């Protein structure tokens, strides 16, 4: 049981590290309205394509 606890702590540490990196990237690159609009449009296009593909 102790070994699982150590593994879980390692995973949590890695997730926190990734979260800090993602926050740093987002604060540098995603402050523009146009980038947010492009991301939203991309998500909508991928969603529509996925729904269309899965409904065949």
């Amino acid at each position: 049981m102790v070994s699982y606890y150590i593994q879980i702590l390692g995973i949590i540490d890695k997730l926190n590290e990734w979260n800090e990196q993602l926050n740093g990237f987002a604060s540098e690159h995603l402050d523009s309205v146009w980038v947010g609009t492009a991301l939203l449009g991309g998500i909508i296009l991928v969603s529509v394509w996925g729904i269309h593909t899965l409904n065949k």
Side-chain angles (χ1 to χ4, degrees):
M1 187 68 174
V2 173
S3 65
Y4 291 127
Y5 183 70
I6 294 172
Q7 289 176 349
I8 290 171
L9 287 178
I11 292 170
I12 290 172
D13 287 340
K14 190 58 136 172
L15 287 175
N16 284 334
E17 180 183 325
W18 288 349
N19 187 34
E20 290 174 7
Q21 291 176 354
L22 184 60
N23 284 339
F25 177 81
S27 68
E28 292 176 12
H29 297 93
L30 299 179
D31 284 342
S32 172
V33 171
W34 300 112
V35 173
T37 303
L39 284 173
L40 180 63
I43 290 170
I44 290 172
L45 286 174
V46 168
S47 300
V48 168
W49 172 78
I51 291 169
H52 178 70
T53 302
L54 293 174
N55 282 332
K56 284 186 178 181

